Amino acid sequence: MNIFLQYTLLIYFLPLIAFGIQIFVGKRLPRQGDWVSIGAVLTTLILSLALFAGMLLNYNPHFEQNFSFTWLETANFKITMGFLIDNITIIMLLVVAIVSSASHIFSLKYMAGDPRYSRFYAYLSLFTFSMNGIVLANSLMLLYMSWELVGLSSYLLIGFWFEKDSVANAGKKAFLTNRVGDIGFFIGIMLLFTAIGSFSYSDIFAGVADGRITGTLLTLAGIGLFMGAVGKSAQFPLHIWLPDAMEGPTPVSALIHAATMVAAGVFMMVRVFPILTPDAQILIAYIGGFTALFAATIAITRTDIKQVLAYSTLSQLGYMIMVVGTGAYIAAFFHLVIHAMFKANLFYGAGSVIHGMHHALHDLKDHKTDPQDMRNMGGLKAKMPITFWAMLISSLAISGIPFFSGFLSKDAILAGTLALVERTHSHHLLLIFGFGAALLTAFYMFRMIFITFYNQPSRPQIFARMKESPRAMLIPLIVLSVLSVYIFYTLPNINPLSDKGWFTHLVEAKESLVPGGINPTVHDIEESIHHSHTPAMITSLIVAAMGLLLAWLMYFKKTLSAEVWAKRLKPLYNLSYNKYYIDEIYNKVLYRPFLKLADWVAYLDWNVYDKYFINGFGKVTVWLAKIVGIADYEGLDQGVVDSFGRGTKRLGGSLKKLQTGKIQSYILFAALAVVIILILQVL
Amino acid sequence: MDNLQVYLIIAALLFSLGLFAVITRRNAIAVLMGVELILNAANLNLIAFARFGGMNITGHIFALFVIVLAAAEVAVALAIILNIYQNFNSINVDEAQQLKQ
């Protein structure tokens, strides 16, 4: 068997086997079976590393292996499933394996003592399996199945502590909001399938290149697929589920709601990019750009440490989606990989802080204080140095400071956006989205760092009881911090200001397959990016420095008072603080009317339909039955059946008179009969 | 007077009279006499066919047998009539209608 197929089969199925073991016998195993899941995920990590090393040794940008088998065959069509292994797959597999392993190890301590400890690991394994399915799929069919499976595991893990109402609701909200996007996704897939008759990427690409689906229909298909990404990657207007998903355990937030699952939407867009029409691309760019800025403006007023990170994730995902729309979609994948590392790191850092807070509050027997509220923290740098450094490095990375990984990809995104504006001489709004979000990102990240780790401790009693987290939680932090340094993404190039390196060499942009040359070629895009690279870099550095400075002045030096500015910009502050009232608006515009409609329909159903129609039907039937009963008894029984009897009786009575008992009359009849017979014979 | 029809007509008349007597008479003896008339009508036919129809001696023999049988029948019938009389105290056949019950 092909070595790649062996590796991928192992990577794909090991977590599933671990899930099976964990869910059925996990509780009876020693240590509740956590070693099963951890063993499985570490094996996939090693295998992914091996594949990755192979890819680096091979150093071939066009490497591609496609394995497929027939899954369903009917007279009219054949559905194949299988794995597509190219450089994007291998890199993404490694990302999933690293973050997933980190999550498994981090949870050793973070989830210790939880009553459903083994089930937690089972769900993590299920998630890893499903996510690898998305990464490995060579067709939209397997992708869609895995897509729903990650949705399921996300639902299970968000609602892991389902005893609390808000947690259970958050799980439901995530699931249902995703369904809205998935409907569009499904429509997109089916549009492609009906036109082309296959789900596999290669067939779809060939079909689009042949012009078997063009124009508006292709745009609609692209937008349909994008709707799936809008749901899964939490883009405006379906972003509402992601902040609520923070109710789940922190390792889950890091793995699923920061690094991998939410990036699945971006991953899918990267995969299908060649079939996107210009119209679809522009829509994608605007939705992504808007989400980037919109979420960033909400993040600046959050007080819950995980909420800051959640909105930051939304904003960064918006970035990735935006750059897919601008055509420089490789930058989206680049940012996806880099973002996965530093954002997972930030979440583990936050988890470490929350873990410390939780234990401190537990010692104080204080169950009212929110362990996630940054206003209860402060000065933690002294108590949690490793966590602090990890979060600082990640914050520098996300803010786009040189020498850190985020700088490279953010720069690529902003350069791609600027390139689009220069190519088309329009869409300047995207620049405001992009650079505005960059400014705010630096601001809110350092706001979080300063409030949490610097200044005087706001609650000295809690502060006194804080201590650094155990080693199992620090290892992922250290590994991921190291991976937030630029050099891992640019080797063999060591210039921190240039993203040229193995990544840009191995991951090549594909030409758009939309017929008619309506999309710019890869060459055009690269040319324009080359021109806009330096101005974009300088601008992004300036805005990041501005954001950092602003945060420093407001939350460290306190020469600018955050409270005074909040008061001065009261309406804006309120908008941001209340998340633009989106939830309230949905509540008013969607949920309430929908509930009212449901009530009304229920009323219609019960009080009108059931009462009048169904009951009326019953009444009419009873009434009819009575008539029929009367007709049957009076008419048929009494009239026909009984009269038969009566008639027979009467006939018998009259015929009886013939039986006189007189022999002579019998003889008479006999003689008459003979006479009649004779007459008849003669006749 | 020398052809078959005459005898047959007379025999038919005789038969009809006999039948009439059998059906209409109340007196059992009279009924019996009607029976005798029918038998004799039959005899007359047998003789006539023997004479004109080529039956030769067979018809005569038959007629003799019928006369003998009639005598025997009368004996049996008179015995029945006597029994009826003993049961019903009458030989009126209308009263002997227990068959009806």
Side-chain angles (χ1 to χ4, degrees):
Chain A
M1 207 198 285
N2 185 303
I3 182 111
F4 288 101
L5 187 56
Q6 282 179 14
Y7 275 43
T8 32
L9 279 177
L10 276 176
I11 290 174
Y12 189 51
F13 286 110
L14 271 177
L16 180 65
I17 295 167
F19 166 72
I21 296 174
Q22 282 288 71
I23 202 83
F24 289 116
V25 294
K27 270 210 137 162
R28 271 168 265 156
L29 294 173
R31 290 181 54 84
Q32 299 208 27
D34 55 4
W35 48 271
V36 176
S37 291
I38 293 176
V41 78
L42 286 180
T43 316
T44 65
L45 175 62
I46 291 165
L47 292 170
S48 305
L49 273 172
L51 280 178
F52 187 72
M55 177 188 78
L56 287 182
L57 289 174
N58 204 7
Y59 217 59
N60 174 12
H62 306 295
F63 169 76
E64 192 177 304
Q65 296 264 332
N66 203 335
F67 306 102
S68 61
F69 66 94
T70 304
W71 180 60
L72 184 72
E73 193 167 2
T74 73
N76 301 322
F77 58 85
K78 193 167 103 173
I79 298 176
T80 59
M81 288 231 246
F83 300 142
L84 169 68
I85 304 162
D86 57 5
N87 293 340
I88 291 182
T89 312
I90 294 176
I91 295 171
M92 192 68 193
L93 273 181
L94 184 64
V95 170
V96 173
I98 289 176
V99 182
S100 187
S101 308
S103 202
H104 278 73
I105 293 169
F106 191 86
S107 308
L108 273 175
K109 283 283 179 265
Y110 194 86
M111 298 304 290
D114 194 279
R116 290 187 294 273
Y117 184 73
S118 70
R119 193 180 296 179
F120 181 78
Y121 273 101
Y123 291 164
L124 278 188
S125 292
L126 176 66
F127 172 75
T128 311
F129 160 74
S130 324
M131 189 66 210
N132 282 335
I134 291 182
V135 177
L136 287 166
N138 77 343
S139 67
L140 287 172
M141 190 75 200
L142 182 57
L143 179 85
Y144 188 74
M145 290 179 177
S146 307
W147 190 267
E148 296 302 337
L149 273 174
V150 288
L152 167 72
S153 34
S154 162
Y155 166 77
L156 291 171
L157 284 165
I158 293 170
F160 189 70
W161 290 318
F162 54 78
E163 289 90 346
K164 213 167 119 189
D165 270 352
S166 66
V167 175
N169 286 338
K172 273 185 273 180
K173 189 170 176 180
F175 199 80
L176 292 176
T177 314
N178 266 302
R179 303 258 21 100
V180 179
D182 289 349
I183 289 167
F185 189 26
F186 194 71
I187 292 171
I189 293 175
M190 281 305 160
L191 276 176
L192 290 170
F193 182 72
T194 37
I196 293 164
S198 169
F199 289 111
S200 81
Y201 294 137
S202 47
D203 290 351
I204 287 173
F205 289 171
V208 170
D210 284 353
R212 288 170 70 182
I213 174 168
T214 49
T216 318
L217 212 54
L218 186 56
T219 304
L220 281 178
I223 291 172
L225 297 180
F226 175 57
M227 262 186 82
V230 168
K232 201 58 89 194
S233 292
Q235 297 297 295
F236 180 83
L238 298 181
H239 65 280
I240 47 166
W241 68 270
L242 187 59
D244 285 34
M246 294 302 134
E247 298 272 5
T250 306
V252 170
S253 311
L255 173 61
I256 302 183
H257 305 119
T260 54
M261 184 190 86
V262 287
V266 179
F267 182 80
M268 189 262 289
M269 294 318 289
V270 168
R271 273 270 197 251
V272 302
F273 178 82
I275 67 163
L276 296 177
T277 58
D279 293 341
Q281 286 187 25
I282 283 305
L283 178 80
I284 292 168
Y286 273 95
I287 295 273
F290 180 72
T291 310
L293 184 63
F294 167 84
T297 57
I298 298 177
I300 57 177
T301 54
R302 295 299 96 203
T303 53
D304 182 311
I305 188 165
K306 280 181 80 179
Q307 289 287 318
V308 175
L309 296 177
Y311 280 101
S312 148
T313 309
L314 284 181
S315 170
Q316 300 296 313
L317 289 167
Y319 257 152
M320 300 177 209
I321 293 288
M322 174 174 80
V323 80
V324 168
T326 65
Y329 74 102
I330 292 303
F333 185 58
F334 196 27
H335 196 55
L336 191 169
V337 172
I338 287 172
H339 173 262
M341 299 301 157
F342 65 64
K343 183 50 67 65
N345 197 15
L346 282 168
F347 267 104
Y348 293 131
S352 169
V353 171
I354 294 164
H355 187 71
M357 288 290 286
H358 190 80
H359 280 271
L361 290 171
H362 190 73
D363 289 346
L364 285 168
K365 298 197 167 39
D366 180 349
H367 297 295
K368 279 190 201 123
T369 311
D370 181 2
Q372 303 192 7
D373 196 328
M374 294 193 291
R375 286 170 300 188
N376 299 327
M377 302 171 187
L380 295 181
K381 185 188 170 195
K383 292 280 188 176
M384 308 179 95
I386 297 176
T387 306
F388 163 70
W389 279 105
M391 286 196 87
L392 182 65
I393 290 170
S394 312
S395 299
L396 287 168
I398 194 177
S399 307
I401 308 295
F403 296 102
F404 296 98
S405 57
F407 170 78
L408 306 169
S409 54
K410 199 168 221 177
D411 187 44
I413 286 175
L414 293 172
T417 313
L418 190 58
L420 173 80
V421 173
E422 285 185 349
R423 272 203 315 278
T424 59
H425 301 291
S426 55
H427 309 302
H428 292 88
L429 196 55
L430 289 176
L431 287 180
I432 298 174
F433 289 155
F435 289 106
L439 175 88
L440 290 174
T441 305
F443 175 72
Y444 65 69
M445 285 319 296
F446 281 89
R447 170 177 172 270
M448 181 196 83
I449 291 283
F450 289 132
I451 294 180
T452 313
F453 292 103
Y454 285 92
N455 301 337
Q456 289 304 306
S458 51
R459 301 276 294 269
Q461 294 154 295
I462 300 176
F463 180 74
R465 283 173 176 75
M466 290 292 281
K467 53 177 183 286
E468 184 62 287
S469 300
R471 202 179 302 149
M473 292 168 72
L474 295 179
I475 292 170
L477 285 176
I478 295 166
V479 172
L480 291 171
S481 299
V482 171
L483 288 175
S484 297
V485 177
Y486 79 99
I487 199 145
F488 293 101
Y489 306 94
T490 62
L491 281 172
N493 157 38
I494 50 167
N495 173 9
L497 295 183
S498 162
D499 60 0
K500 291 274 168 291
W502 63 264
F503 190 95
T504 46
H505 177 79
L506 285 176
V507 183
E508 273 195 337
K510 284 188 180 141
E511 291 288 353
S512 171
L513 294 166
V514 182
I518 43 179
N519 274 325
T521 61
V522 170
H523 178 76
D524 288 348
I525 293 171
E526 275 173 359
E527 192 71 12
S528 54
I529 290 175
H530 188 70
H531 286 301
S532 53
H533 189 74
T534 316
M537 181 169 73
I538 292 169
T539 322
S540 80
L541 273 175
I542 292 171
V543 293
M546 275 166 58
L548 218 162
L549 188 71
L550 201 60
W552 186 70
L553 287 174
M554 269 193 177
Y555 297 100
F556 188 70
K557 288 292 265 185
K558 309 221 171 182
T559 43
L560 284 173
S561 165
E563 283 77 28
V564 171
W565 277 96
K567 248 177 216 140
R568 258 182 226 171
L569 301 169
K570 192 80 185 159
L572 287 178
Y573 178 81
N574 276 347
L575 268 183
S576 164
Y577 188 77
N578 293 304
K579 310 163 201 166
Y580 294 89
Y581 301 97
I582 296 282
D583 275 325
E584 284 77 4
I585 291 170
Y586 282 178
N587 203 10
K588 270 237 166 66
V589 178
L590 290 174
Y591 308 150
R592 289 277 175 72
F594 195 77
L595 280 181
K596 216 165 242 167
L597 181 72
D599 277 349
W600 191 72
V601 170
Y603 175 84
L604 215 66
D605 184 47
W606 179 244
N607 285 344
V608 179
Y609 182 72
D610 275 9
K611 233 178 193 170
Y612 295 106
F613 193 71
I614 302 286
N615 290 5
F617 210 72
K619 268 179 202 155
V620 169
T621 312
V622 168
W623 188 68
L624 259 174
K626 267 183 190 155
I627 292 179
V628 171
I630 290 170
D632 185 47
Y633 188 72
E634 301 287 332
L636 190 70
D637 279 8
Q638 301 264 318
V640 181
V641 180
D642 284 9
S643 65
F644 244 110
R646 271 199 298 273
T648 313
K649 197 173 165 188
R650 211 173 292 149
L651 193 67
S654 41
L655 282 177
K656 189 173 82 175
K657 287 181 187 147
L658 286 179
Q659 304 294 329
T660 51
K662 292 177 187 167
I663 310 284
Q664 285 168 320
S665 55
Y666 298 158
I667 295 170
L668 176 62
F669 291 136
L672 277 177
V674 170
V675 170
I676 288 167
I677 290 168
L678 283 176
I679 288 168
L680 284 176
Q681 280 217 314
V682 171
L683 286 175
Chain B
M1 284 289 279
D2 208 20
N3 60 21
L4 185 57
Q5 271 99 345
V6 178
Y7 294 98
L8 290 185
I9 289 167
I10 290 172
L13 281 175
L14 204 54
F15 175 82
S16 302
L17 287 172
L19 190 63
F20 183 76
V22 168
I23 294 170
T24 55
R25 293 292 102 183
R26 301 263 171 88
N27 194 323
I29 304 294
V31 171
L32 200 58
M33 285 160 76
V35 173
E36 289 304 320
L37 282 183
I38 290 170
L39 286 170
N40 284 320
N43 276 348
L44 197 56
N45 267 5
L46 287 168
I47 302 290
F49 280 117
R51 169 78 172 80
F52 296 103
M55 280 172 80
N56 299 333
I57 201 70
T58 320
H60 301 283
I61 302 297
F62 253 109
L64 283 174
F65 270 105
V66 170
I67 291 165
V68 174
L69 274 172
E73 180 240 323
V74 166
V76 175
L78 280 175
I80 294 172
I81 291 168
L82 274 175
N83 263 314
I84 290 175
Y85 184 74
Q86 275 172 5
N87 274 324
F88 296 97
N89 211 16
S90 157
I91 51 165
N92 188 345
V93 285
D94 276 0
E95 289 175 26
Q97 42 176 277
Q98 276 181 331
L99 268 179
K100 192 179 173 185
Q101 261 74 43

